[in-house]
Amino acid sequence: MEALFFNVDSGFLEGIVRGYKAGLLTQAQYNNLTQCETIEDFRTQLSSTDYGNFLANEQLPISTSTIADKATQLLVDQFNFLRSNAVEPLVKFFDYITYGYMIDNVILLITGTLHGRNTSELLERCHPLGVFETLPALCVATNVEELYRIVMVEAPLAPYFRECVTVNDLDDLNIEIIRNTLYKAYLEDFDAFCATLGGPTAEVMHRILAFEADRRAINITINSFGTGLSKESRAKLFPTTGNLFPGGNNALARADDVEQVRAACEGVAEYRAFFDAGAGRPNGAGVYGESTANLLGEFNEGDSGAAAELEDRFFAHEVYLNKLAFLQQFQYGVFYSYLKLKEQEIRSLTWIAECIAQDARDRIQDFIPTF
């Protein structure tokens, strides 16, 4: 019965998004792209995939930022098609997907206003999925107080701002704290909404959002080392929807170094592998492993390389979770997961193109595939 009613409203769109997912690049297509000698060869190889001739009108030399922008626009067009044909509650689900991008866009404009930047130029840098009807109105603000008032009245994010942020918080020192506070409220709200949908949607999305919450908690902890952020303030930024909550979060709040972060993650088997000796990217997505001693040592020396290594493992695990979402039918998680898989594919394309442009052949394989 549940499947019957799901198909009445959303079966067609689920079929469409599964078709989109089948168009993700394959192992063979990635191999062909990494063999390209020039960006022109790269464009030719992409034309034989689902990307088609999306770069046909671009003049050489094509920048990697242009490739990323054009590929992202294709994804946005797909998302907007799905959204325009959806009915409730899928419409609301799509709205929640866009809130994360809205947070980044609003923070970008707040930062620009604080630094006296031309917010009209910043508007062009906003992510298309995070553009809402009244976002251009933020560009007329001449100071942060005015911008805050506009956000509080006009933006879909107004409830998060009212609960989490005051106008006195809007300064350079607090901007990342504000971003993480808004994301905490967003992830908790999104998870609660998915719980109201019940069934496989709640199951699939809770698994994905729990990982996202834990990733943010781990990153916040590591990035706070050596800063003036107190442990109490750090703890307030942790979402309460993750697998680490509450015990792991409490341990992260007390952590003073990455070794203690590793210990806080011991209770979750999937996360333990991120710090294990010789661990590569999970689920066979490449080989990037280093020993735990080297990983922790590089962190303690302040080298960002190990932080990037850990972030790569997060991305690879995110790919794994989003691929799992497609193993269940009659649920909305596939719409979220396709978007995230496609975004990772675009990051990989951009990386390969950048390596070709800079003749960095030795690093061209250092991407995270989605096949």
Side-chain angles (χ1 to χ4, degrees):
M1 186 64 69
E2 178 182 280
L4 173 64
F5 284 112
F6 180 92
N7 281 336
V8 168
D9 291 331
S10 304
F12 169 72
L13 293 182
E14 184 185 7
I16 292 292
V17 80
R18 287 181 181 275
Y20 287 160
K21 192 258 185 183
L24 292 175
L25 296 180
T26 64
Q27 171 82 67
Q29 289 168 331
Y30 275 117
N31 290 341
N32 290 339
L33 290 172
T34 58
Q35 298 303 312
C36 294
E37 296 292 336
T38 65
I39 294 296
E40 173 62 20
D41 293 341
F42 183 85
R43 176 169 66 176
T44 301
Q45 284 294 335
L46 273 182
S47 67
S48 65
T49 70
D50 275 19
Y51 283 95
N53 295 318
F54 79 118
L55 295 174
N57 296 326
E58 299 299 321
Q59 298 295 318
L60 292 174
I62 303 173
S63 68
T64 52
S65 60
T66 298
I67 294 172
D69 290 344
K70 293 294 183 180
T72 298
Q73 188 57 52
L74 289 179
L75 174 58
V76 170
D77 291 342
Q78 291 177 339
F79 181 88
N80 288 336
F81 172 79
L82 295 169
R83 190 180 188 182
S84 63
N85 286 279
V87 297
E88 293 291 358
L90 182 54
V91 172
K92 187 64 175 176
F93 184 85
F94 279 129
D95 288 345
Y96 269 103
I97 292 176
T98 63
Y99 289 166
Y101 301 97
M102 290 183 189
I103 291 173
D104 289 336
N105 286 351
V106 171
I107 292 296
L108 176 65
L109 293 180
I110 291 174
T111 305
T113 302
L114 286 169
H115 294 163
R117 299 280 299 277
N118 185 331
T119 49
S120 295
E121 294 178 3
L122 292 176
L123 189 62
E124 297 177 1
R125 295 174 50 195
C126 288
H127 196 289
L129 290 181
V131 174
F132 48 93
E133 185 177 356
T134 54
L135 184 65
L138 300 182
C139 295
V140 305
T142 56
N143 54 62
V144 291
E145 290 82 4
E146 186 177 351
L147 188 148
Y148 181 79
R149 285 195 297 271
I150 295 173
V151 170
M152 289 289 288
V153 174
E154 303 288 349
L157 303 175
Y160 302 147
F161 269 85
R162 281 195 294 269
E163 293 176 10
C164 307
V165 182
T166 68
V167 67
N168 296 325
D169 294 328
L170 300 181
D171 59 48
D172 276 341
L173 294 177
N174 286 332
I175 198 68
E176 284 305 313
I177 294 177
I178 293 170
R179 184 198 304 273
N180 285 301
T181 301
L182 292 172
Y183 260 102
K184 165 184 162 68
Y186 160 61
L187 288 173
E188 291 172 351
D189 191 28
F190 194 4
D191 189 64
F193 170 73
C194 292
T196 66
L197 299 177
T201 297
E203 177 186 344
V204 168
M205 288 305 301
H206 178 72
R207 182 169 60 229
I208 293 171
L209 295 175
F211 169 70
E212 179 61 26
D214 292 337
R215 173 165 61 175
R216 298 194 73 84
I218 294 169
N219 283 337
I220 288 168
T221 302
I222 293 174
N223 292 333
S224 69
F225 296 154
T227 69
L229 186 67
S230 69
K231 293 181 178 179
E232 293 77 12
S233 298
R234 180 203 302 172
K236 292 178 181 178
L237 300 177
F238 298 161
T240 60
T241 58
N243 297 315
L244 293 174
F245 179 79
N249 281 10
N250 292 337
L252 287 175
R254 297 190 299 268
D256 294 311
D257 54 45
V258 179
E259 176 59 33
Q260 293 180 11
V261 173
R262 183 201 61 76
C265 297
E266 281 289 320
V268 182
E270 296 92 332
Y271 303 166
R272 192 183 308 136
F274 298 154
F275 300 92
D276 279 349
R281 290 177 177 174
N283 313 303
V287 181
Y288 294 76
E290 295 184 59
S291 69
T292 303
N294 287 340
L295 185 63
L296 299 181
E298 288 181 13
F299 268 126
N300 291 334
E301 294 168 7
D303 186 359
S304 62
E309 174 91 17
L310 184 60
E311 188 65 16
D312 279 349
R313 294 176 185 172
F314 285 152
F315 277 129
H317 189 65
E318 181 185 39
V319 167
Y320 170 69
L321 292 178
N322 285 310
K323 286 161 65 176
L324 280 184
F326 283 87
L327 299 181
Q328 291 182 257
Q329 291 182 297
F330 314 124
Q331 44 91 11
Y332 296 153
V334 291
F335 299 103
Y336 179 94
S337 291
Y338 171 71
L339 178 67
K340 294 303 179 181
L341 288 173
K342 194 67 174 180
E343 285 184 333
Q344 182 56 56
E345 181 178 271
I346 293 170
R347 282 192 289 269
S348 296
L349 285 179
T350 306
W351 176 267
I352 294 171
E354 191 66 40
C355 288
I356 294 171
Q358 297 188 21
D359 196 25
R361 311 296 305 183
D362 57 324
R363 300 195 64 191
I364 202 168
Q365 297 290 340
D366 293 0
F367 63 90
I368 300 172
T370 53
F371 52 80

